[in-house]
Each structure stands twice: as C-alpha cells, then as structure tokens.
Amino acid sequence: VSEPYHHYVFDKEHRRFVGDFEAMYRAESAGRFDSWHQSDPRRMDSLISAMLLEKVSYRTAVDLACGKGHFTAQLKRLDNHVVGVDISETAISVARSQFPDVEWVAASIDDYLDGCAPVDLMLVRQTLSYLEDWREVLAKISGLTRYLCVDLYIPDDTIGFVPSHAELLEELERHFEVIEAVLLQKRRISVYLCRSSH
Ligand SMILES: C[S@@+](CC[C@H](N)C(=O)[O-])C[C@H]1O[C@@H](n2cnc3c(N)ncnc32)[C@H](O)[C@@H]1O
C-alpha cells in the first residue's frame, strides 16, 4: 500500500471520515511509515509554508494539529515560545522526546482554543478537512492570533469537510486579510498566510 495511513483517516468505500489518528500513530513504527510524509523536510507545502512565514515575526506561536512536530520545531528560536498541539498522545510523546525546547500539548483543537491566550502566530496545516466545525474553528482562531498559516490538500472528489479551495478562501476572507495565497495546482494544495482583521 503506498499510503498505509489513509484508512485510519477516511473509509474510501463508504466515503466517510474515520479519524482514528491515535491508532494510526501507534501503527507507524511496526508498519514503518511516516504518516503524510510529515517528517520529510522536502515536502513542498512545508517548504512553501516556511517561506511565507519568513515575512512575519512572532514571539509566540501555536501549531494546531502538529503531528510529530517536525515543522513545529522549525518555528522555535532562542527567544520565542512555541507550542505544538495534537489530538494524538503518541504523536505528542514522539515530538516531546525529540524537541524538548517546544511546549507540547495533547488535546483537540477545540479544547485547546477554548482555554488559550492570544498569540502572534497560529498554524493549522493539513488538518481542516478533518474538522466538521472547520468554519467555527477559523472564526475562533481569528480572535486568538495576529497571523495564521493554513495549508490544505483538497482533491476534487474530497471526502473531507472542506468542500473546495474556493470555499476555504471565502471563509478565510471572512475573518482575515489574506496576505499570500499559493496554489500548488498539480498537488491540489493551497497554502495561505493571513493577518487577522479582528
Ligand atoms: C495530516 S496531519 C498534519 C500534521 C502536520 N500539521 C503536517 O502538516 O504535517 C493531521 C494531524 O491532525 C491531527 N488532528 C486531527 N484532528 C484533530 C483535532 N480535532 N484536534 C487536534 N489534532 C487533530 C492528527 O492527529 C494529525 O496529526
């Protein structure tokens, strides 16, 4: 199987969301896979996100749904505070053991946002498709951060909750000024850097 992590996320046959992320991360070492190639520094959307983030500065950053935290750790400087949040305890414990200078939190995005203080930068990369309440999540985020980096793969026949790139952009523009939008057309991935208009 070329993408052994997929069946933990979507049931392709019945076209429904499964979302068993904890089981997926637990299966990684035995199955010898890296879900979504998230630890590969050459991943094109990660390179684009990093490039867009060079345009802003941030003393505090929160990476929502950070997985095993390879991208999150790139945000860390000697003089800033970075938090990585993921629903999977296994992913968070892998991240914590590798990058102890980042604060790691095992929580759902909804729970984390309910209790968090405002920060300079939030990121939500390759995750909004798994959130049924993605529109409310973006609204909530806009009140809690100055900048937002979003990146999302949306195939034409998506099973995920975000129906299209056009609707994602429309929703972002409701709450943010979109500073940069990059479409990786062939990969069906869009990457955004936004400033909150709240
Ligand atoms: C495709 S991965 C993206 C990981 C990383 N942001 C990246 O771009 O490589 C999606 C991540 O979202 C996490 N996740 C899914 N639903 C979540 C939720 N409701 N709250 C927090 N994390 C969630 C999963 O555990 C998984 O690590």
Side-chain angles (χ1 to χ4, degrees), residues 5 9 17 19-22 24-25 35-39 43 45-46 63-72 85-89 91 105-112 123-128 130-131 133 137 151:
Y5 41 92
V9 182
F17 176 63
D20 195 353
F21 300 103
E22 179 57 19
M24 181 194 74
Y25 282 112
S35 302
W36 302 284
H37 312 280
Q38 62 178 268
S39 310
R43 213 178 79 187
D45 60 312
S46 298
D63 188 6
L64 298 163
C66 62
K68 290 172 288 177
H70 280 79
F71 191 85
T72 322
V85 180
D86 199 279
I87 202 164
S88 164
E89 303 241 3
V105 180
S108 73
I109 290 178
D110 279 331
D111 286 351
Y112 184 82
L123 304 95
V124 58
R125 305 187 51 247
Q126 300 298 356
T127 298
L128 288 175
Y130 310 143
L131 307 179
D133 62 345
V137 167
D151 131 11

Side-chain angles (χ1 to χ4, degrees), residues 1-118:
V1 190
S2 67
E3 293 173 336
Y5 41 92
H6 253 173
H7 69 276
Y8 293 100
V9 182
F10 290 118
D11 174 348
K12 268 194 173 164
E13 195 192 336
H14 300 101
R15 297 193 56 77
R16 62 178 190 90
F17 176 63
V18 176
D20 195 353
F21 300 103
E22 179 57 19
M24 181 194 74
Y25 282 112
R26 285 193 191 170
E28 278 197 351
S29 49
R32 300 167 71 90
F33 60 89
D34 172 34
S35 302
W36 302 284
H37 312 280
Q38 62 178 268
S39 310
D40 185 345
R42 300 165 304 177
R43 213 178 79 187
M44 187 60 73
D45 60 312
S46 298
L47 295 172
I48 302 282
S49 299
M51 201 157 43
L52 295 186
L53 287 171
E54 282 177 20
K55 293 174 86 75
V56 297
S57 48
Y58 46 89
R59 304 272 313 175
T60 47
V62 176
D63 188 6
L64 298 163
C66 62
K68 290 172 288 177
H70 280 79
F71 191 85
T72 322
Q74 287 185 49
L75 304 168
K76 183 73 184 106
R77 310 281 180 269
L78 286 178
D79 58 354
N80 72 0
H81 185 78
V82 175
V83 183
V85 180
D86 199 279
I87 202 164
S88 164
E89 303 241 3
T90 298
I92 287 295
S93 70
V94 171
R96 186 177 288 126
S97 64
Q98 199 168 358
F99 307 108
D101 55 346
V102 171
E103 181 184 342
W104 301 105
V105 180
S108 73
I109 290 178
D110 279 331
D111 286 351
Y112 184 82
L113 292 178
D114 280 344
C116 93

